[in-house]
Amino acid sequence: MVSLRDNWRVILLVVLLLVSTFALFSPTLADGAGGGVAPGNATADGPTNLKFGLELSGGTRIRAPLVGLTAEEVQFGDDQPRVVEQNVAENIDGATSADVIARQSANASTVEVTAENVTQQEFRTALERADYEFETIRDGVTEQTRTEVVDILRDKINQAGLSGGSVQQVTTATGQHFIRIEVPDRDTSEVQQLVSERGSVVVEAYYPVEQNGSRTYQSDVVLERDDFQRIGTAQDTPSGPAVPVTVKAAVAEEFQQAMVDTGVARPGGSRCDYERNPNSTESCLLVVVDGQVVNSFGMSPGLAQSMRNGEWAEDPGFQLQTRNISEAQQVAINLRAGALPAKLDFSGDDGGTTSYISPSQGANFKTDSLITGLVAVLAVSGVVFIRYNEVKVAAPMIVTALSEVVILLGFAAGIGYPLDLSVIAGFIAVIGTGVDDLIIIADEVMAEGEVSSRRVFQSRFRKAFWVIGAAAATTIIAMSPLAVLSLGDLQGFAIFTILGVLVGVLVTRPAYGDILRTLTTTDR
Amino acid sequence: MVEFTVPEVDYTRYTNRQLAAVPLAVLAVALLVVAGWYVATGAPVNQGIEFTGGTEIQVVVGDGANPEEQIRQAFSAEPESIQSVPAEGSLYIVTFQSGDDSGPSVGANELEQQAESAGFEVRSISSVSASFGGDTQTLALIGVGIAFLGMSLLVFAMFRSFVPSIAVVISAFSDIVIPVALMNVLGIELSLGTVAALLMLIGYSVDSDILLNNHILRRSGDFYESTYRAMRTGVTMTLTSIAAMIVMTVTATLFGIQLLAAIGTVLVFGLAADLMNTYLLNLSLLRWYKFEGVNR
């Protein structure tokens, strides 16, 4: 099989085309292809396995930094991190220990403040007052905190049922860190609401105490997120919207005792009137989200009774009541996903970027950009046909250039890379450089009359290839900064242009040479 | 059938100085425009919201006379520009710059609400904060710089002689500066799309220069014959690309796909500049090198 060995480039091209077609259309690859390395959100729809990015499918993208300051190389002395957190928080106005994170590891100890509107100077003063030595204070939070935020946000988005959403950490070349959230089919305000709150949920007991003969109220945290064994789904119950929860056996006794001591579980149950008369109500349970009381309720006589005689702790379930169902959902999501250690910064000049594309706009862009691409290909074909006036030369040229795009599309479908406008621009660039190279090959091969022998063909082809290789190398060099730098939308453009040039130089353009040889030479 | 053949130019009628004068003069004018822009506005190009920070919102305005006036009334901030999308009669692209003197910046959420309460359908919103934009700008500059430097080094490594290499580098430089000057004159803003196009130009424009150098320096045969052969291929290449880009720009503009339209426009300018630079500037330097420079 001499011809097989001679035409291996064409065969390679055909194999690649088949593989790409398989990746594009095979239903077996429809889900989870590539192990979810997709950097953007990805929604596969339509007859192909192609995934479309935000611009072509509609949705919201938010990119924002985290609020926070970090002190490096802090000397904790003999204090535990938890103690450090308390000591530092005490010295900052408007910060609680939940806003301070102390981390101690073998080589570095850091303290972070994630409360809003704390200046570096205030933080410095607080550390000095609390008597901790430190090296430097910088803007931003630590790597661990960012990772935690990403995990929690991912969880929250999944819990909220926003399918196809993704959360990522991105770092710019100037060393700034951002959190990028993409959610298909949702508008900005909906996504912002979900991710902008810290989402720390606690249950407090609110109860009267007699002090020096006067009656004041006190509130204590009785349940935190870690105290729950099971968090149910938000539902409408006869007594209103609620989240059914089960308390861990280890803390159930303690909670039961606290209920009895604070008078929430009093004989006959308690009736809460916190909203109207906070200074004369019976004892209450408060659901507090990010320091705001979102609901208050008392306890039914039956539950109070079982707490008083100690039966409740054996089956420690109850319901966290809320005012409406959406609040119940929010509480359930926050309890399950946990509180963010630091907030996303949407305010001011550091607020990052947000973008929203409506699904109808996305669908328009999809067809419109397809038409634009096709029209560009037609224009190229037109010029090539007019120039060569010979179908034998021009037709394979167009077919070869298009096959590069098919291979790239197959690649995108295979790894699940979401197509965006910038990727489509990359395809158009690839067709452009591809046709340029094919013109070089055709002109070189057909220079000085007919090519009759294979040897002449080979030597001319090799000469043409030097120019193509050089041109490809410069294109790759020109595009590589964009592929590496996080210039947002343009990364896809650069990656696909480089890939296209590589596929072109290594596979398709040599194959075109073979096709042209078969069509123009006579000695086989 | 229509047929086009690349005409053979009789280069012998012109001296090197005459040939180089035109592209150098154009380059000088372009540099003047860019420098003038820098002096007048503090930046060498008009920057879009991706670099300065700001908000772009696309809305569909319902019936009613004078949609632009309706848009102005709807938002509390003064729009920087209002553009209509020809393919869809009632779709408008409204941009707001942040951080200039035209008033306090209004957040994307507020703008969305204002648009909705005015009865517009919001198709898309994107907002970029000023400091984020500033970073992007630095990054883009670094990107273009590295790309250009990398290209230059590669060209020098390939040809290993000064004059032919510097000819390619100067042509590529001019291919970038001329479109930038034209963008200023025509009021096209620098966006991520145009940065991409400028980078693509580095790749595209070097193609025809390498081709020319290769034919003249590495092939046997008469200088003018080699030139003609290189031109026939190179001009076809560039014209094909220009045709594709013109068509793409027109369609993308009709559909309101700004990224593709911006890339197309800048590439058309750059490729046209490349035709001139390759076959006047690069060629004259090569002829000088071949006939006079080598003998020194």
Side-chain angles (χ1 to χ4, degrees):
Chain A
M1 291 295 280
V2 180
S3 68
L4 228 170
R5 205 177 50 214
D6 265 13
N7 289 314
W8 66 272
R9 295 190 186 93
V10 182
I11 292 162
L12 182 63
L13 173 63
V14 171
V15 168
L16 270 185
L17 278 177
L18 285 178
V19 170
S20 304
T21 320
F22 178 75
L24 268 174
F25 295 107
S26 163
T28 53
L29 286 176
D31 281 311
V37 288
N41 69 296
T43 41
D45 51 7
T48 63
N49 293 336
L50 283 176
K51 297 188 175 169
F52 294 99
L54 218 60
E55 280 165 345
L56 298 180
S57 64
T60 292
R61 174 189 296 144
I62 290 173
R63 185 157 46 178
L66 292 172
V67 179
L69 299 170
T70 304
E72 307 266 15
E73 307 290 334
V74 185
Q75 305 297 321
F76 288 5
D78 295 329
D79 292 346
Q80 288 298 310
R82 227 189 153 91
V83 179
V84 175
E85 287 170 7
Q86 273 160 7
N87 290 345
V88 174
E90 273 168 20
N91 288 299
I92 298 175
D93 280 340
T96 66
S97 60
D99 299 322
V100 180
I101 307 163
R103 294 181 195 276
Q104 196 164 29
S105 64
N107 40 19
S109 305
T110 58
V111 176
E112 293 157 80
V113 178
T114 56
E116 279 175 292
N117 303 324
V118 175
T119 63
Q120 290 203 3
Q121 189 53 48
E122 281 166 355
F123 188 24
R124 196 179 300 272
T125 318
L127 282 170
E128 276 159 8
R129 282 211 198 121
D131 227 9
Y132 294 113
E133 283 181 29
F134 59 94
E135 287 275 308
T136 53
I137 288 183
R138 62 173 174 86
D139 283 325
V141 295
T142 58
E143 176 67 32
Q144 291 101 315
T145 304
R146 286 194 298 272
T147 314
E148 278 172 29
V149 167
V150 168
D151 289 343
I152 292 167
L153 282 176
R154 205 171 275 161
D155 214 8
K156 275 192 175 187
I157 283 175
N158 288 339
Q159 299 284 358
L162 304 182
S163 61
S166 77
V167 185
Q168 268 196 319
Q169 216 189 105
V170 287
T171 308
T172 65
T174 49
Q176 274 190 300
H177 301 278
F178 290 88
I179 305 293
R180 186 174 74 186
I181 304 159
E182 295 193 337
V183 183
D185 290 351
R186 301 297 161 130
D187 71 15
T188 320
S189 47
E190 195 177 349
V191 178
Q192 264 195 7
Q193 195 194 358
L194 182 71
V195 301
S196 60
E197 296 299 320
R198 288 276 289 278
S200 76
V201 180
V202 293
V203 178
E204 289 182 1
Y206 181 80
Y207 58 97
V209 282
E210 299 291 334
Q211 212 169 34
N212 308 330
S214 68
R215 193 170 134 108
T216 57
Y217 277 84
Q218 197 171 337
S219 55
D220 291 342
V221 175
V222 285
L223 285 177
E224 283 177 319
R225 176 178 174 249
D226 291 342
D227 298 335
F228 294 103
Q229 176 84 43
R230 192 187 72 87
I231 296 140
T233 47
Q235 52 193 252
D236 266 316
T237 64
S239 51
V243 182
V245 290
T246 310
V247 177
K248 277 181 187 157
V251 288
E253 292 272 357
E254 198 184 319
F255 175 64
Q256 181 173 272
Q257 194 55 46
M259 289 298 95
V260 175
D261 291 349
T262 56
V264 178
R266 68 178 60 200
S270 53
R271 277 183 310 129
C272 178
D273 197 19
Y274 176 81
E275 266 164 65
R276 269 169 298 171
N277 300 306
N279 293 320
S280 63
T281 176
E282 289 182 357
S283 301
C284 287
L285 279 177
L286 307 180
V287 177
V288 182
V289 177
D290 292 330
Q292 303 277 321
V293 177
V294 298
N295 198 22
S296 54
F297 47 87
M299 194 170 274
S300 67
L303 184 59
Q305 184 55 37
S306 80
M307 284 209 174
R308 291 187 76 80
N309 57 31
E311 286 165 15
W312 180 81
E314 286 157 29
D315 178 19
F318 78 110
Q319 290 180 330
L320 284 178
Q321 289 171 0
T322 57
R323 278 173 299 203
N324 53 51
I325 189 74
S326 73
E327 213 167 74
Q329 277 159 350
Q330 197 80 42
V331 165
I333 290 168
N334 284 334
L335 275 180
R336 276 194 228 121
L340 292 174
K343 239 176 117 161
L344 289 173
D345 188 358
F346 291 118
S347 62
D349 281 347
D350 298 325
T353 64
T354 57
S355 61
Y356 161 70
I357 312 255
S358 77
S360 66
Q361 177 89 322
N364 282 352
F365 269 2
K366 228 186 284 184
T367 47
D368 292 352
S369 56
L370 187 70
I371 295 173
T372 309
L374 283 180
V375 166
V377 172
L378 277 180
V380 169
S381 318
V383 177
V384 167
F385 273 106
I386 293 173
R387 167 75 171 76
Y388 289 101
N389 212 355
E390 197 175 354
V391 181
K392 257 198 317 199
V393 180
M397 210 179 253
I398 305 297
V399 172
T400 317
L402 283 177
S403 67
E404 279 172 22
V405 175
V406 173
I407 292 173
L408 286 183
L409 280 175
F411 182 78
I415 65 162
Y417 195 98
L419 291 193
D420 256 328
L421 282 181
S422 64
V423 176
I424 288 173
F427 289 160
I428 292 172
V430 167
I431 296 183
T433 58
V435 170
D436 277 7
D437 288 0
L438 301 181
I439 291 173
I440 294 176
I441 295 176
D443 276 5
E444 188 72 47
V445 164
M446 296 190 313
E448 292 161 34
E450 287 291 297
V451 190
S452 51
S453 86
R454 283 243 307 270
R455 231 191 25 199
V456 173
F457 181 95
Q458 286 296 7
S459 93
R460 288 186 185 172
F461 182 74
R462 216 168 291 133
K463 274 191 207 158
F465 219 74
W466 192 88
V467 180
I468 294 171
T474 46
T475 307
I476 291 172
I477 293 241
M479 287 297 163
S480 48
L482 271 188
V484 180
L485 295 177
S486 173
L487 258 182
D489 300 343
L490 290 185
Q491 210 165 14
F493 166 75
I495 290 172
F496 275 85
T497 308
I498 291 177
L499 270 177
V501 169
L502 282 177
V503 169
V505 170
L506 298 178
V507 183
T508 57
R509 294 162 208 179
Y512 174 72
D514 278 5
I515 295 172
L516 201 62
R517 186 190 62 204
T518 318
L519 292 176
T520 53
T521 55
T522 43
D523 66 328
R524 311 229 156 167
Chain B
M1 190 164 175
V2 227
E3 197 172 342
F4 88 84
T5 43
V6 178
E8 186 159 6
V9 184
D10 187 5
Y11 279 109
T12 48
R13 282 169 51 203
Y14 307 99
T15 65
N16 287 336
R17 236 171 242 172
Q18 282 172 324
L19 285 180
V22 181
L24 285 180
V26 175
L27 176 62
V29 171
L31 280 174
L32 263 178
V33 169
V34 174
W37 225 263
Y38 185 74
V39 172
T41 65
V45 267
N46 294 322
Q47 293 164 333
I49 59 159
E50 277 141 334
F51 297 107
T52 57
T55 303
E56 181 198 286
I57 180 164
Q58 299 198 6
V59 289
V60 176
V61 181
D63 297 332
N66 204 350
E68 296 215 0
E69 193 50 43
Q70 279 189 48
I71 291 170
R72 268 177 220 285
Q73 302 263 312
F75 298 109
S76 61
E78 179 66 18
E80 194 229 350
S81 79
I82 302 175
Q83 252 183 293
S84 73
V85 175
E88 298 189 52
S90 48
L91 181 62
Y92 287 83
I93 301 168
V94 189
T95 49
F96 301 88
Q97 291 259 9
S98 74
D100 54 7
D101 309 326
S102 67
S105 61
V106 181
N109 279 350
E110 277 173 74
L111 290 174
E112 188 183 353
Q113 278 159 14
Q114 288 169 5
E116 273 164 5
S117 60
F120 303 156
E121 182 200 336
V122 178
R123 282 291 184 82
S124 74
I125 297 184
S126 66
S127 77
V128 177
S129 69
S131 76
F132 194 85
D135 283 353
T136 314
Q137 194 180 340
T138 327
L139 274 182
L141 271 179
I142 294 172
V144 176
I146 292 176
F148 194 81
L149 201 71
M151 182 275 296
S152 312
L153 290 177
L154 196 68
V155 166
F156 271 93
M158 282 189 299
F159 291 110
R160 295 208 188 111
S161 49
F162 183 75
V163 175
S165 309
I166 201 74
V168 175
V169 173
I170 292 176
S171 301
F173 178 71
S174 176
D175 288 349
I176 292 174
V177 174
I178 292 173
V180 168
L182 280 173
M183 279 164 60
N184 282 347
V185 173
L186 297 177
I188 299 171
E189 285 178 342
L190 189 74
S191 63
L192 287 179
T194 46
V195 169
L198 292 177
L199 285 172
M200 256 160 103
L201 270 180
I202 295 181
Y204 266 132
S205 70
V206 170
D207 279 13
S208 53
D209 293 315
I210 291 178
L211 188 80
L212 182 68
N213 278 8
N214 182 55
H215 273 254
I216 290 175
L217 299 177
R218 299 187 150 220
R219 303 285 165 85
S220 53
D222 172 50
F223 177 84
Y224 293 105
E225 206 186 305
S226 305
T227 305
Y228 176 62
R229 256 189 275 141
M231 263 187 92
R232 212 177 43 183
T233 308
V235 171
T236 310
M237 273 160 50
T238 311
L239 284 183
T240 318
S241 305
I242 290 182
M245 287 308 146
I246 288 178
V247 173
M248 182 176 103
T249 310
V250 173
T251 3
T253 313
L254 285 179
F255 287 134
I257 309 178
Q258 289 171 307
L259 182 76
L260 297 185
I263 290 181
T265 316
V266 172
L267 277 180
V268 170
F269 294 157
L271 289 171
D274 183 47
L275 274 183
M276 175 185 77
N277 286 324
T278 307
Y279 301 108
L280 294 178
L281 183 61
N282 195 351
L283 188 109
S284 63
L285 280 169
L286 273 179
R287 187 166 69 175
W288 178 84
Y289 172 75
K290 190 95 177 166
F291 291 128
E292 294 164 48
V294 179
N295 299 335
R296 290 191 177 187

